[in-house]
Amino acid sequence: MGVRLMVVDDHRLLAEALASALKLRGHRVLAAAAPAAGAADLVISRAPEVCLLGTAAPAEAGTFDPVVKIKRERPQVAVVVLGPVPSPRGIAAAFAAGASGYVRHDERIEGVERAMLKARAGEAAVAPALLQGAFGELLNPAAQPDDEGARLLSMLTPREVEVLVRVAEGEDTRQIAAGMGIAPSTARTHVQRVLMKLGVGSRLEAAALAARTGLLDRASTRS
């Protein structure tokens, strides 16, 4: 059975070309949209089974904000990212934001189709070669002169680090307050300060950023 899908890419020509190819293979394309940054609302309104999200810069901050928004409003929509081979943390950022898969943008149409079907079935859709490369670099990391995780961690007080860990674990304000023995208003203030220092607008974004940069791992080491 064909997949009901949307194709989103900053380059409309690429989105329309991929949409046309998938239509010829029996899939139902609800829309081919651009730019990606403004397409989340359209995906939310159309509610496809799968959204193919193309990006040329997976490592840039905010690239996967549309994924976060889509998954928050339409958790049943499977998002598959199409992009260049990023750093391992780029792949991690896509999945932390809620993506169901990551496919190289030079993959053959058959590979894209397989990823769509796996994502619709609730499986992780990522090529073994990408995973091997990611694990290889994570196990044997190159020196990083500008470690974003360390930089962000240095901006937070020990109390704010604890708040971030609790946010990442899904605790709400009342749970944070109870766990730390502080008033809910104080917990709320700490959360707002953490969001401001990390430069994000929501708790979900803070958790995704912490996962992408390895900040939580560093926090546990520091504690």
Side-chain angles (χ1 to χ4, degrees):
M1 183 183 296
V3 177
R4 193 175 75 256
L5 65 106
M6 287 183 59
V7 183
V8 175
D9 196 291
D10 284 330
H11 300 284
R12 183 175 295 277
L13 185 61
L14 295 179
E16 292 178 350
L18 180 56
S20 296
L22 290 170
K23 283 181 182 179
L24 291 175
R25 299 179 74 87
H27 300 288
R28 182 186 174 193
V29 180
L30 302 181
D41 290 335
L42 183 58
V43 174
I44 291 167
S45 67
R46 297 288 185 89
E49 294 176 300
V50 176
C51 170
L52 297 178
L53 177 69
T55 177
E60 287 188 4
T63 294
F64 299 119
D65 287 352
V67 181
V68 173
K69 185 173 184 179
I70 291 167
K71 297 302 292 185
R72 181 174 62 239
E73 301 295 330
R74 294 286 187 179
Q76 73 276 17
V77 175
V79 180
V80 176
V81 175
L82 305 178
V85 178
S87 69
R89 296 209 182 279
I91 295 177
F95 280 94
S100 299
Y102 195 105
V103 179
R104 287 177 54 138
H105 60 184
D106 58 354
E107 178 63 80
R108 296 173 62 89
I109 190 67
E110 293 85 1
V112 176
E113 190 173 37
R114 283 194 299 270
M116 287 164 38
L117 294 171
K118 290 185 70 174
R120 185 178 66 173
E123 303 175 34
V126 57
L130 281 182
L131 284 180
Q132 290 170 3
F135 281 123
E137 188 172 331
L138 287 172
L139 292 172
N140 302 284
Q144 297 292 329
D146 182 19
D147 190 317
E148 187 179 5
R151 179 181 64 80
L152 293 173
L153 186 61
S154 69
M155 298 166 56
L156 304 177
T157 67
R159 179 58 61 95
E160 289 166 349
V161 170
E162 183 179 355
V163 168
L164 176 60
V165 171
R166 291 178 178 276
V167 166
E169 290 176 348
E171 293 188 8
D172 60 23
T173 301
R174 287 183 300 174
Q175 292 171 320
I176 293 172
M180 297 179 65
I182 58 178
S185 59
T186 303
R188 191 175 301 107
T189 298
H190 282 314
V191 171
Q192 290 303 317
R193 286 177 178 170
V194 169
L195 298 184
M196 180 182 66
K197 288 184 177 183
L198 296 182
V200 297
S202 70
R203 298 181 184 215
L204 187 59
E205 290 176 286
L209 178 63
R212 177 174 65 81
T213 62
L215 196 158
L216 295 179
D217 293 335
R218 289 183 172 275
S220 62
T221 300
R222 192 171 82 171
S223 62

